[in-house]
Amino acid sequence: MKDYWLKFGCFLTGYNYTIVKQSSEAVAKVVKKNLSALLIIAIVWGFIGYVFTQRYLHGNLITSLAGALLMVIIIIQIERQIILTVGKNNKAMTFRIIIGIVMAIIGSVILDQIMFKEDVEKMRISTIQKEVNLILPMKTNEIQESIKQIDSALFKKEYERNAIIEEISQRPTIVAISSILNQRKDSITGKMVNTGKQITTQAIPNPKAELITQIDNHIRALRLQKEKKDSTLLNMRQITEAELKSKVGFLDELQILVQVLLSSNIALMVWVLIFMFFLMIELFILVNKLGDDKNDYDRLLKHQIDVRMSMIDKLNDNI
């Protein structure tokens, strides 16, 4: 079990397991120490990646787990830049400190949004009410204008219907006139000639009566539209609030969180403590690297580099 743990440590930190086994126990302890620090950082950031994906990217369980895994991989690759550095590289360490500060700010902000969730929600409700008061008049005017247009269309259709009904009541039927030409064959020329015209009249129902059904259907559809618009107008505040609440934005909550922190010294102190916690975790491996003396693993790698460089120099001299 001890060997598997060492193998796992070498896998995550990037150490060569074969060289570590040939080295002293001090090297194995360094690997295990870096592994412990790496696991702490990876677990914390895996949790943050899961929560961020679930809350702000609206991911399901699988997507959130994928987000957590991606965050863990990124953290491991960042920490390897320090762990696998042979000797002390001041530029790399300075850059890692800057990354650590940035990541500590991001991590503490996301964690604070979870911790101060109820406080953020309370202030968010107040903010939503202000936004509703600004948006509501514009949306209300739009619906009222739409209702006016529907009323105008209804008035025209009802006027048209009444006019047709009045016309039908006065003229329920119309006279249809048809004529038939009478022809015979001329005995001399052999051509057909007209001998007279037969005119017939017939009373038929007024064809405009068929338009009433179409107009009634149109009026019914317009009234249904008006009912929906009226219902929307009555519930416009609730609908607008629901729309704003359904859209949880990271920047919106971040602005509210800043307001919460600035309005309470206790909340600000908690954020500072969480920030310091994240910063210490981020710089954990870097501090360990600075505090460790050179061991036989590092010296062996340095020796291999020197030998290889010497061989390359000799090849260049021979050429």
Side-chain angles (χ1 to χ4, degrees), residues 8-26:
F8 182 62
C10 291
F11 171 74
L12 286 185
T13 58
Y15 277 83
N16 188 309
Y17 176 73
T18 304
I19 299 177
V20 170
K21 288 295 291 183
Q22 296 173 357
S23 303
S24 63
E25 182 63 24

Side-chain angles (χ1 to χ4, degrees), residues 32-49:
K32 294 175 183 177
K33 182 171 65 174
N34 288 332
L35 173 62
S36 299
L38 196 57
L39 287 177
I40 293 172
I41 301 172
I43 290 171
V44 172
W45 277 100
F47 172 74
I48 291 175

Side-chain angles (χ1 to χ4, degrees), residues 6-188:
L6 186 61
K7 283 183 178 179
F8 182 62
C10 291
F11 171 74
L12 286 185
T13 58
Y15 277 83
N16 188 309
Y17 176 73
T18 304
I19 299 177
V20 170
K21 288 295 291 183
Q22 296 173 357
S23 303
S24 63
E25 182 63 24
V27 177
K29 288 183 177 180
V30 170
V31 173
K32 294 175 183 177
K33 182 171 65 174
N34 288 332
L35 173 62
S36 299
L38 196 57
L39 287 177
I40 293 172
I41 301 172
I43 290 171
V44 172
W45 277 100
F47 172 74
I48 291 175
Y50 179 88
V51 172
F52 184 85
T53 305
Q54 184 184 53
R55 183 170 179 81
Y56 298 107
L57 302 182
H58 307 289
N60 54 24
L61 178 62
I62 297 177
T63 308
S64 300
L65 291 174
L69 179 61
L70 178 64
M71 188 64 71
V72 168
I73 292 174
I74 292 174
I75 290 299
I76 290 175
Q77 298 307 317
I78 291 175
E79 298 300 339
R80 276 187 172 187
Q81 304 303 312
I82 297 299
I83 294 173
L84 298 180
T85 300
V86 179
K88 290 181 173 60
N89 189 330
N90 293 329
K91 291 183 179 179
M93 291 179 181
T94 302
F95 188 67
R96 181 64 187 91
I97 291 172
I98 295 173
I99 293 177
I101 294 173
V102 173
M103 294 185 70
I105 294 173
I106 296 173
S108 60
V109 166
I110 295 175
L111 192 61
D112 277 345
Q113 287 181 330
I114 299 171
M115 293 179 60
F116 296 114
K117 182 179 178 181
E118 298 298 329
D119 300 288
V120 170
E121 285 295 328
K122 290 179 183 178
M123 190 165 288
R124 187 164 175 264
I125 291 173
S126 176
T127 304
I128 287 175
Q129 292 299 323
K130 294 179 182 178
E131 291 180 359
V132 168
N133 293 334
L134 290 174
I135 297 172
L136 192 59
M138 293 184 291
K139 288 194 171 185
T140 302
N141 290 334
E142 290 177 1
I143 295 177
Q144 287 175 344
E145 287 296 325
S146 180
I147 291 174
K148 287 180 181 178
Q149 292 176 3
I150 294 174
D151 286 336
S152 177
L154 272 172
F155 177 79
K156 291 179 180 178
K157 285 296 176 182
E158 288 176 350
Y159 179 81
E160 182 181 354
R161 183 177 181 275
N162 292 333
I164 293 174
I165 291 174
E166 184 178 354
E167 181 180 345
I168 291 173
S169 64
Q170 294 176 357
R171 296 176 58 193
T173 61
I174 61 174
V175 177
I177 301 174
S178 60
S179 62
I180 300 175
L181 290 174
N182 294 325
Q183 294 178 329
R184 69 177 178 81
K185 189 174 183 181
D186 190 284
S187 58
I188 299 174

